[in-house]
Amino acid sequence: ENLAATLVAQPGGLDEPALERLAALCLALDVSDEEAKDVITKLATPLFRDTIKQSLQAAQESYSCADGESSAKVKDVFAQLEQTRDELCISEQMGYDAVSSEIRSELLERLQPARQNLRVNNVRAALEEVLGVLEAAEPMLAVLHCMLKMSSSESALSALKSRMGDVSRELGRQEPKQLYRIVLAEFLKDQKIDEKEEAQLALLRALIGLSDADASDAYKLATGPVYRREALVRIQKGELSGEAKSELDEVLSKLVIPAETVRQIGVELYRERLLALIDGNRILSEENATELASLRSFLSLTLEDVAETHAKACGPVYEQAVNEAMGSSGIILEEYQAALDKLATRLELTKEYARDIFYRVAKGRLYDYAMRAAKLLQERQKLRGQDEARDVGDDPFVTRAGAQLGIQGGGLTTELSAMIDFYTKNKLVVEKEVTVGEGEDAKTETVTEYPVTLRGMIEPKIVEGLYKQFLIDCLSAKTMAEKQRLFMGLSGVGNVLGLDEKQTADVNAGIGAVIYKNYIGQALAKPGGSGKLDPQDTQFLQSIAMTLQMSEKKATDLTKEAVEGHITVLIERCFSAAKVLPQSVRRVRESARGLGVDLVADLNVSSETRGKMFAVEVDDAIERGQITPADQSALAVAQRGFSVDDDQAKSILLECIQSRCRGLMVNAAAALRSNRTDTAADDLVKMTRFGKLLPTEVSAPMVSSTEKQELLLVYQAHAIRDGAITDAEKENLELLETMLGVAGSAKTPA
């Protein structure tokens, strides 16, 4: 290392003899080539950096010469720098990195004073510093150019920008942009940027790492005021002629301002003049309109360019006129509408903006109607009770407290009807022709649209409450004419209030469910009714479904739910009574069959409950002689109707017969003890009816053998007619002997 340091520092650097000496020493000391190279680089780099500084200084001094000589001098400086690099055994890449790094450090150091002056608002001094840096950077760029020609096709400017990189740590984030704007403004004083100035701006952008977007924004900020000043001078003087426009266009051609920037400045100038003309909500005169048209031409603006400006500036004037035209009634007459159209034209409002303003005013009026209706709805609810609201299950036709005060069918419906009247008479409804389907199936339909709604302006709960109450009032209207009039506005009420299809369908379904439930319940409960829906009932329900725009499936589901509920109520009534009556269970079975309700699949009635109803009906049918050994069809009907399986049916039948026979025997014995032989005979007759289905002895310990003998004699006496007994009665007598367990005790007359 000592030898290498001595050789590197000698004149001529590491020449051929020096390299040979180092190679021999490395061999003797067993030093690898890599280690030797690292030592040489370590010792040579500081010397090369000193040479770079000297070379860059020399390049700057030579750049003060004439252009031709300047270029030659820079090449000489570069040649000497290359010679030194070669003598110090430094690679081309390391040499380039060292040169570009030194250039970056020196330029950033030179920019610091400009940054300091900018921070103390010494703009002039900052400008001079930046211009000085640009002057110093040009010869450095030339040196970099010479170096790149040897190893790369990259331009020196691009290489410099790449090497400078992010300078925010050294110069800050905003200062580079401000320095660029200062230089740009200086160059634009003569309203143009020549070739030299453009080259300097490009160099400055490379030095401070300014992006194309930031450079474009800076250009707009710098050139915009120049153009604005030139245009404003002519506008204030009233010079809007073709000659004045040509002068302004010439300024534009020199400044090369982006078209969008020109348009924005023009719109701003136009807006200032427009505001001056309408100050105090004045309406533009024809003379004003002519002046504005000339101004648009002078600034190369179209009506579309200033449409939004006119809307914001003249909108309040037009809005006030619309409110005045509506007056207290809210309806704009034809002659007033024509005047509004003329005013919109004079104010240069496009049809779209005029329509939007009209819609905004209309929405305010619609909101007033809705809120008055909401207030009436709240008052109606208060009359029901502070915390009581109509439940979805309530009958909408039931008049609540407060009806005598005129609230039930009055104000709320009136307000919402007036809202729809306002909507239609002001022609807010839009009807469009749309094509539905494709090919041969295509057809044209008229679709109604509601462009102005209150969606999002009122709480959803209030909106649904208003629509629901209006629907209830529609259904409860006393006259057909009134009902039809209200229903015609129903769709409009929902749309204007801002209900979507799902919300409307949900409310309709809720009301529909109440109507279906109550109507079906009333129809099926009619005295002497068939227990099922008649054709006129079905027709009425279909009309309700159509009115409420319910789907066929929804209507079917509601009907099914209502009839199932009716059957459920009938079952509950059966078992809520003191005794389950045969006619009650028979009605359950017949109604379920007539309405197509399956007690198991649809209502999930338990096996126990179905068995009890089956037992009651079977018991009654046997007693009345409807079920006999020869005819058991009634038994089969009851079994199917109550969905009782064969095993359960047999078990219930056996229990029923045994229980009834035992009870009848006990009753007959009691009647006999009281000498009521006719009553005892009647009970025994009933016993035979049950016994025919199950001819077996009946166990009744409460009845003695003697009493059984006497009962048999009572029945025998009852069976004798005209001194004889029929064959049928003989069979009954034999059956009774078996059931009483006293066979052979009675003497049968011939």
Side-chain angles (χ1 to χ4, degrees), residues 270 273-274 276-279 281-294 296 310 314 317 342-348:
Y270 185 88
R273 183 56 186 158
L274 175 61
L277 292 174
I278 64 169
D279 184 37
N281 276 353
R282 288 180 294 175
I283 296 177
L284 292 174
S285 64
E286 292 185 6
E287 183 180 349
N288 297 147
T290 302
E291 179 187 345
L292 290 172
S294 299
R296 288 196 299 273
H310 270 277
C314 303
V317 176
K342 186 176 180 180
L343 176 61
T345 302
R346 181 175 294 180
L347 294 176
E348 300 291 1

Side-chain angles (χ1 to χ4, degrees), residues 537-571:
D537 296 327
T538 304
Q539 185 177 358
F540 173 79
L541 293 173
Q542 288 175 345
S543 69
I544 291 295
M546 185 178 299
T547 300
L548 299 180
Q549 299 178 340
M550 289 192 296
S551 66
E552 183 178 352
K553 181 180 183 305
K554 184 65 178 178
T556 302
D557 291 344
L558 287 177
T559 302
K560 187 173 185 297
E561 182 181 343
V563 297
E564 288 175 358
H566 173 69
I567 299 301
T568 300
V569 169
L570 291 180
I571 294 173

Side-chain angles (χ1 to χ4, degrees), residues 331-345:
I331 311 300
I332 298 180
L333 303 177
E334 291 291 338
E335 55 269 29
Y336 289 172
Q337 185 60 59
L340 286 174
D341 294 341
K342 186 176 180 180
L343 176 61
T345 302

